[in-house]
Amino acid sequence: MATIKIQNGLIIDPANRAASAVGDVWIDGSQIVAPDHERRPDQTVDATGLVVMPGGVDMHSHFVGPKVNAARKLTARPLFGHGDADFTHGTRPFLPTVVQTGAHYCGLGYTTAFDAAVAPSFALQAQQEIHDMRQVDAGFFALVGNHRFVLEAICDGDQQRVRQFLEFIITKTAAYAPKIVNPGGVDRWKSGVHSPLESIDERLPALSITPRDIIQSITAAANEIGLPHPVHIHCNQLGIPGNWRTTLETMKAVGDFRAHLAHVQFHSYRDADDEASFGSAVAPLVDYLNQHQNLSVDVGQIMFGNTMSMTADSPLGDYLRQISGSPWISYDTEFECGCGISPIKYRQRNRIHGLQWAIGLEWFLSADNPWQVALSTDHPNGASFLCYPEIMALLMDRDLRGQYLSRLHRAVLRHSLLQEMDREYTLEEIAIVTRAAPAKMLGLRHKGHLAPGADADVTIYDINTDRRAMFEFPRMVIKSGQVVMSDGKLLESIPANRLESGIQFDVDSLDDVDRWFRKNYTARWFDAESAHAAS
């Protein structure tokens, strides 16, 4: 197995307290190893004057499964009816194919990514698509928060059945973690009640439970069975003015259990009597986060331009259809979830869109501990992951943020605190929110750092005062010990490793769960295990 020595680089490895130390990184095969100065490496990479970081980790994206493929079809211009629809980023597709997705992540220095919402009944398809990926290790989260089986178990007060359900789902689908989306709200919407939930304490139709009950039961069960990333929560009332109260109540509902809240930018809005009073409510939410180390968030930063709303939150899809008039797909999947797909364009001069942009940056700049915050755009909902270099530049450069603010609607200055924020991220903090923190949140002990025993996923960047250019074009990317990209050229195409929870539950004895699934699902769903074994 080949050995590689990366020498004299400026190592940014915050997981090992190497904020900016010049040194060497040794690779033997697919792992980082301790330096061996008596051994001559097979390849030496001179990183003098360059920055060396672990490969990037995107913990919340969307790139596999039926809703993503339906959205890819919608990007065909004739289906939009909008003459200005342009779903490319430069010369690159905005919603790339699975194979292209891996290549584009690699091109930014990212080597790990998770799809944040896959319906259990389509686990087989998701696993097969991940098998076709290249350059990145990938996994997915299984949707459970509106699954009829678990809702009935919670209604019956049977917490053991909830735990068995999660064990069954994680094992049978080979998912990495459970995902809750608009808990109870999607089931409510599918039952024909299309008005939004008022709070997480509103009871669901035909079930004597509330969203709070669902959040608490699934969070407790996921923590008790020992999952590395216990639960990933998409809160109720996404995008609704005043939803910050629901977000805060969700944070409180999980108690002392570990939990992660997704794309919090979309859940941090102040009450609005009209559009003119819409604004940021980040302050009380980030105050709570700062005081509770068991919680973590990813931001869901929006960037301006065309993109696609793609969610397992059917009520949100319906809401966006009503306010935008855009075409949409409601792609409900059997019992376990909903789906809404609709094109969207974020405009700089739009009051609401400008505030959404500012609210996302407020989260990054006001959180005391960057280890609790991960960079995401909820690809492609807020923007493509291809926008990550520009977001990193905004975090590192107050003047650049000021240039953006000068082009936005004046209401952004009145209803956001962003213009008052002088904080500028360091390279170490960028490495935390894009690598070390998401790896830690996910429980990926071999990712996000450069200590011996870590996966040999390394990105080397030029030092450039133009931070966007710096992070957009890595000098070199090493994946699993192989140089896969150098000077902008893809050199090797290596298959993705599928990332699973690492916990194998004994589900053969779960007869009640098994019978329920065999009664309510087609047999193809149970092929996920066979596909896993075959590949």
Side-chain angles (χ1 to χ4, degrees), residues 243-301:
N243 63 8
W244 73 272
R245 291 189 178 87
T246 296
T247 306
L248 183 59
E249 286 303 309
T250 301
M251 289 177 164
K252 293 178 179 178
V254 304
D256 294 330
F257 287 119
R258 285 181 57 213
H260 179 89
L261 275 66
H263 39 65
V264 288
Q265 176 277 132
F266 289 108
H267 302 274
S268 307
Y269 302 154
R270 195 173 63 210
D271 301 79
D273 296 327
D274 53 44
E275 185 178 295
S277 60
F278 178 85
S280 168
V282 171
L285 298 174
V286 81
D287 283 348
Y288 192 87
L289 179 77
N290 288 338
Q291 298 171 41
H292 293 82
Q293 298 299 306
N294 59 306
L295 296 175
S296 60
V297 302
D298 64 83
V299 171
Q301 180 67 39

Side-chain angles (χ1 to χ4, degrees), residues 81-375:
H82 300 301
D84 63 344
D86 179 12
F87 283 83
T88 62
H89 181 79
T91 59
R92 296 169 291 185
F94 198 90
L95 279 172
T97 66
V98 172
V99 174
Q100 292 170 335
T101 295
H104 289 317
Y105 266 121
C106 178
L108 297 180
Y110 274 72
T111 53
T112 304
F114 283 86
D115 189 293
V118 171
S121 59
F122 283 93
L124 172 59
Q125 177 179 338
Q127 296 287 13
Q128 289 173 330
E129 291 180 358
I130 288 174
H131 182 66
D132 290 336
M133 290 187 74
R134 296 292 185 270
Q135 271 62 262
V136 297
D137 294 340
F140 67 84
F141 309 148
L143 291 159
V144 299
N146 288 280
H147 201 292
R148 178 57 60 161
F149 182 95
V150 77
L151 296 186
E152 291 175 353
I154 296 170
C155 188
D156 293 340
D158 192 341
Q159 188 66 6
Q160 181 178 356
R161 190 148 46 111
V162 176
R163 289 194 297 271
Q164 290 175 341
F165 167 83
L166 292 182
E167 293 174 357
F168 189 89
I169 287 288
I170 295 297
T171 301
K172 287 287 186 177
T173 65
Y176 191 82
K179 173 72 176 293
I180 301 175
V181 171
N182 188 359
V186 174
D187 182 81
R188 181 177 186 270
W189 189 88
K190 291 172 73 173
S191 73
V193 182
H194 288 185
S195 58
L197 282 163
E198 294 297 325
S199 76
I200 65 170
D201 294 308
E202 183 176 340
R203 295 202 175 275
L204 305 182
L207 291 169
S208 59
I209 59 173
T210 66
R212 185 187 297 273
D213 296 327
I214 299 168
I215 294 163
Q216 291 178 330
S217 177
I218 294 177
T219 299
N223 276 266
E224 288 164 3
I225 65 178
L227 294 174
H229 185 61
V231 64
H232 202 91
I233 304 173
H234 162 140
C235 296
N236 302 91
Q237 295 187 322
L238 186 148
I240 305 297
N243 63 8
W244 73 272
R245 291 189 178 87
T246 296
T247 306
L248 183 59
E249 286 303 309
T250 301
M251 289 177 164
K252 293 178 179 178
V254 304
D256 294 330
F257 287 119
R258 285 181 57 213
H260 179 89
L261 275 66
H263 39 65
V264 288
Q265 176 277 132
F266 289 108
H267 302 274
S268 307
Y269 302 154
R270 195 173 63 210
D271 301 79
D273 296 327
D274 53 44
E275 185 178 295
S277 60
F278 178 85
S280 168
V282 171
L285 298 174
V286 81
D287 283 348
Y288 192 87
L289 179 77
N290 288 338
Q291 298 171 41
H292 293 82
Q293 298 299 306
N294 59 306
L295 296 175
S296 60
V297 302
D298 64 83
V299 171
Q301 180 67 39
I302 79 154
M303 297 296 285
F304 302 110
N306 286 299
T307 189
M308 183 74 68
S309 171
M310 181 196 308
T311 177
D313 192 342
S314 302
L316 172 64
D318 187 35
Y319 175 72
L320 290 175
R321 175 190 64 81
Q322 293 180 48
I323 64 174
S324 69
S326 296
W328 83 306
I329 295 174
S330 179
Y331 200 88
D332 289 342
T333 308
E334 293 185 343
F335 294 90
E336 63 243 305
C337 68
C339 181
I341 304 167
S342 181
I344 187 170
K345 182 174 184 177
Y346 295 108
R347 293 175 169 85
Q348 278 192 332
R349 297 296 298 172
N350 181 286
R351 179 198 305 264
I352 303 300
H353 298 167
L355 281 163
Q356 289 178 295
W357 174 86
I359 288 167
L361 292 175
E362 281 186 45
W363 265 103
F364 285 110
L365 298 170
S366 56
D368 289 345
N369 183 5
W371 285 92
Q372 291 177 270
V373 181
L375 172 61

